[in-house]
């Protein structure tokens, strides 16, 4: 029985004037909208000034063929696992809070060079990899958090702020839990698919690098899917240049956390011309729910509705993501790292059982040594993530909670 297309959460009500689009993408509606807009005509037939006709390099890949040229799974051997265990004991012996986890306090003298090489793969190679083989069941929850943050500190030393409060108190929450919480007493407050068993459609997170650590997988479903932004860009640029215009123009993006203004205007697609030290690049930064709502957080009627062009663009990048994605075969004990500026990702719907509940830990990371330039219009967001995060202010919760940005009760 397939569990790849499951949407359990009822559709969020649409605001007045919104096109016929919801969080769950509808292929037939997408095709009909595309045909209607093409028939109406008057669409740009050339790309926006400066945007490339095609991008090339290792970041242009397709799920069906990438395994022929790239092995994205780095399997830890017994010696490396022992070195990780020694680093756990070393850090515990220091008696420091978890926010003090660094490459220095979690020493990996032999594995370090490999992890630095893998950071290079994220930024200058194929944009993703999986570390496999961690012995989750041999460690406590706290030790698994230490291992995850410790290994990650060698790949990308900065941990980003995922929430600004914890248990009602101001805090720099730098680790979050991705787990179905619909069974909890707060299920009426869930406004993000991260806390449900729903299929998560293609999207990006925040920050340079998104990492996920599988403490446990689901009983069925829940596949992790990654797609190359550059491959999808090439397809759209060649066939529908008007949608590159749409994606690179400002959108009204909802802000789900408390703010002076409940939406910001910014593009979803960014272009970086080549420099003496960097190649030409494009980056995609978006989440579908910020334009159509989800669950307990529908799109606000106080925000202008999206346009028909924007609705088609959202569906286009989702369905092309589906077409060109790779399934990373995410297993218990795996840590997945992706370049969030070059790769977008999705998750199939899944089924838990009392004995087997999918439970991931997530970090938003940055490696200043290898980092891509941040799109200027996103400087404010990167500042929210990375500026002023101190070791003493960091919180790495050991138990799941609903982040403010996905919480109606925020």
């Amino acid at each position: 029985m397939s569990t790849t297309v499951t949407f359990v959460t009822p559709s969020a009500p649409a605001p007045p004037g919104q096109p016929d689009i919801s969080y769950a993408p509808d292929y037939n509606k997408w095709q009909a909208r595309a045909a209607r807009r093409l028939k109406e005509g008057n669409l740009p037939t050339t790309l926006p000034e400066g945007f490339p006709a095609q991008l090339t390099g290792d970041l242009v890949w397709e799920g069906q063929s990438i395994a022929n040229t790239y092995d994205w799974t780095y399997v830890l051997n017994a010696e490396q696992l022992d070195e990780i265990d020694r680093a756990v004991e070393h850090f515990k012996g220091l008696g420091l809070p978890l926010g003090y986890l660094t490459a220095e306090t979690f020493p990996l003298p032999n594995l370090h060079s490999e992890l630095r090489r893998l950071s290079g793969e994220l930024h200058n190679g194929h944009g993703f990899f999986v570390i496999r083989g961690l012995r989750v069941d041999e460690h406590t929850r706290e030790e698994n958090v230490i291992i995850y943050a410790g290994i990650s500190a060698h790949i990308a030393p900065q941990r980003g702020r995922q929430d600004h409060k914890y248990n009602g108190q101001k805090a720099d929450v730098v680790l979050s839990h991705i787990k179905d919480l619909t069974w909890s007493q707060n299920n009426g407050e869930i406004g993000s698919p991260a806390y449900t068993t729903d299929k998560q459609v293609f999207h990006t997170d925040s920050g340079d690098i998104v990492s996920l650590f599988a403490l446990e997988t689901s009983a069925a479903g829940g596949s992790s899917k990654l797609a190359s932004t550059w491959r999808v860009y090439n397809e759209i640029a060649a066939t529908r240049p008007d949608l590159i215009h749409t994606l690179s123009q400002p959108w009204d993006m909802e802000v789900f956390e408390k703010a002076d203004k409940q939406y910001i205007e910014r593009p979803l697609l960014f272009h970086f011309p080549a420099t003496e030290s960097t190649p030409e690049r494009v980056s995609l930064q978006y989440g579908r729910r910020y334009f159509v709502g989800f669950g307990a957080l529908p799109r606000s009627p106080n925000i202008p509705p999206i346009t028909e062009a924007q609705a088609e663009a959202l569906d286009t990048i989702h369905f092309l993501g589906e077409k060109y994605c790779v399934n990373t075969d995410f297993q218990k004990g795996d840590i997945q790292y992706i370049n969030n500026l070059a790769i977008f990702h999705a998750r199939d719907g899944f089924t838990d059982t009392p004995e087997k509940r999918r439970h991931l830990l997530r970090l938003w990371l940055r490696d200043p040594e290898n980092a891509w330039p941040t799109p200027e219009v996103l400087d404010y967001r990167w500042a929210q993530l990375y500026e002023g995060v101190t070791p003493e202010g960091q919180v790495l919760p050991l138990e799941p909670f609903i982040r403010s940005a996905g919480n109606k009760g925020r």
Side-chain angles (χ1 to χ4, degrees), residues 385-408:
L385 297 175
Y386 299 113
E387 285 187 6
V389 178
T390 61
E392 59 272 15
Q394 290 183 41
V395 176
L396 290 83
L398 300 184
E399 297 300 327
F401 65 101
I402 303 172
R403 231 169 35 98
S404 298
N407 190 341
K408 183 182 179 182

Side-chain angles (χ1 to χ4, degrees), residues 175-232:
L175 179 138
S176 62
H177 297 248
I178 310 300
K179 189 175 184 181
D180 175 31
L181 298 178
T182 56
W183 50 268
S184 72
Q185 60 183 0
N186 297 321
N187 65 357
E189 298 179 349
I190 293 175
S192 167
Y195 310 112
T196 73
T197 62
D198 284 65
K199 177 187 178 77
Q200 270 190 295
V201 302
F202 275 95
H203 65 285
T204 61
D205 281 20
S206 292
D208 292 65
I209 298 167
V210 179
S211 173
L212 294 168
F213 179 23
L215 296 179
E216 184 57 272
T217 54
S218 56
S223 293
S224 175
K225 294 181 174 179
L226 310 180
S228 159
T229 294
W230 289 17
R231 179 63 187 91
V232 169

Side-chain angles (χ1 to χ4, degrees), residues 5 12 25 78 83 92 102 118 144 155 219 224 263 278 284 341 369 401:
V5 186
E83 183 173 76
K92 290 169 68 176
T102 66
L118 289 169
N144 279 313
I155 295 166
S224 175
Y263 69 98
T278 61
L284 180 69
L341 291 168
E369 182 182 330
F401 65 101

Side-chain angles (χ1 to χ4, degrees), residues 339-369:
N339 181 336
N340 190 55
L341 291 168
I343 305 291
F344 60 129
H345 61 283
R347 176 197 76 197
D348 281 349
F350 63 91
T351 303
D352 278 342
T353 62
E355 300 76 31
K356 199 168 170 61
R357 293 188 180 277
R358 189 179 195 268
H359 188 177
L360 310 183
L361 304 180
R362 182 178 69 189
L363 292 170
W364 288 343
L365 303 165
R366 179 175 172 82
D367 179 8
E369 182 182 330

Side-chain angles (χ1 to χ4, degrees), residues 161-359:
R161 188 186 283 111
Q162 299 188 46
D163 211 337
H164 53 82
K165 63 180 181 179
Y166 184 68
N167 286 339
Q169 303 295 313
K170 186 177 180 180
D172 293 332
V173 182
V174 296
L175 179 138
S176 62
H177 297 248
I178 310 300
K179 189 175 184 181
D180 175 31
L181 298 178
T182 56
W183 50 268
S184 72
Q185 60 183 0
N186 297 321
N187 65 357
E189 298 179 349
I190 293 175
S192 167
Y195 310 112
T196 73
T197 62
D198 284 65
K199 177 187 178 77
Q200 270 190 295
V201 302
F202 275 95
H203 65 285
T204 61
D205 281 20
S206 292
D208 292 65
I209 298 167
V210 179
S211 173
L212 294 168
F213 179 23
L215 296 179
E216 184 57 272
T217 54
S218 56
S223 293
S224 175
K225 294 181 174 179
L226 310 180
S228 159
T229 294
W230 289 17
R231 179 63 187 91
V232 169
Y233 172 88
N234 284 349
E235 180 96 349
I236 300 173
T239 60
R240 290 293 304 275
D242 61 291
L243 293 180
I244 300 297
H245 283 265
T246 300
L247 290 165
S248 61
Q249 293 165 352
W251 293 48
D252 296 322
M253 178 175 169
E254 185 152 5
V255 176
F256 287 120
E257 296 181 73
K258 289 182 179 178
D260 294 335
K261 184 180 178 181
Q262 283 308 116
Y263 69 98
I264 58 171
E265 300 96 353
R266 71 160 178 85
L268 307 193
L269 186 70
F270 305 91
H271 174 239
F272 298 94
T275 69
E276 288 185 3
S277 58
T278 61
E280 183 174 35
R281 293 165 169 160
V282 297
S283 292
L284 180 69
Q285 284 284 285
Y286 87 108
R288 189 179 176 101
R289 75 182 183 97
Y290 294 93
F291 305 102
V292 301
F294 180 87
L297 291 174
R299 184 169 176 87
S300 170
N302 299 320
I303 302 174
I306 67 172
T307 66
E308 286 289 328
Q310 289 172 335
E312 185 190 352
L314 284 176
D315 279 345
T316 299
I317 51 181
H318 171 78
F319 285 111
L320 288 179
E322 291 273 15
K323 179 178 180 180
Y324 292 120
C325 72
V326 65
N327 178 348
T328 59
D329 186 30
F330 211 24
Q331 299 178 14
K332 182 174 181 175
D334 282 1
I335 307 179
Q336 176 178 283
Y337 295 87
I338 68 172
N339 181 336
N340 190 55
L341 291 168
I343 305 291
F344 60 129
H345 61 283
R347 176 197 76 197
D348 281 349
F350 63 91
T351 303
D352 278 342
T353 62
E355 300 76 31
K356 199 168 170 61
R357 293 188 180 277
R358 189 179 195 268
H359 188 177

